[in-house]
Amino acid sequence: GRHPKASRVELIFSLYAGAVYNNGLAEIKEIAETFEQLFQGDLGNYYNVFNEIRLRKKNRTSLLDQLLKRSFRKWMLSMSAHK
């Protein structure tokens, strides 16, 4: 099933690790607060959620993998077809 909070936290920590938010200057708290405002939902203790993600036995990057496999690649292929 889908877990929107875990997906958001996965994305937050990915943006932080990739230093892509605010030219790499943003702290996790700043990114998390932005996501809470954007998605109008409290993330609670996102460090605990991240720890649960980190301890996953199967796939620690399920959202990123899903985006890459399904959404982004499909979109890129559709964009290539419209050249």
Side-chain angles (χ1 to χ4, degrees), residues 67-83:
L67 290 173
L68 186 60
K69 285 179 186 173
R70 296 182 192 164
S71 308
F72 190 70
R73 285 189 183 147
K74 185 186 280 187
W75 180 75
M76 290 297 287
L77 288 172
S78 74
M79 295 304 291
S80 297
H82 293 284
K83 277 187 168 182

Side-chain angles (χ1 to χ4, degrees), residues 2-31:
R2 299 200 178 200
H3 303 283
K5 183 192 272 190
S7 294
R8 290 178 192 151
V9 171
E10 182 182 333
L11 190 53
I12 288 165
F13 278 82
S14 298
L15 291 171
Y16 176 77
V20 297
Y21 191 90
N22 195 17
N23 297 315
L25 300 174
E27 294 296 325
I28 291 170
K29 181 179 180 186
E30 180 183 352
I31 302 169

Side-chain angles (χ1 to χ4, degrees), residues 30-44:
E30 180 183 352
I31 302 169
E33 287 173 352
T34 301
F35 269 60
E36 286 177 331
Q37 289 176 354
L38 180 65
F39 295 106
Q40 299 178 342
D42 181 26
L43 291 170

Side-chain angles (χ1 to χ4, degrees), residues 55-66:
L55 295 173
R56 286 179 187 161
K57 291 186 181 195
K58 234 180 172 185
N59 187 354
R60 294 182 182 139
T61 57
S62 61
L63 173 69
L64 297 175
D65 293 345
Q66 175 186 340

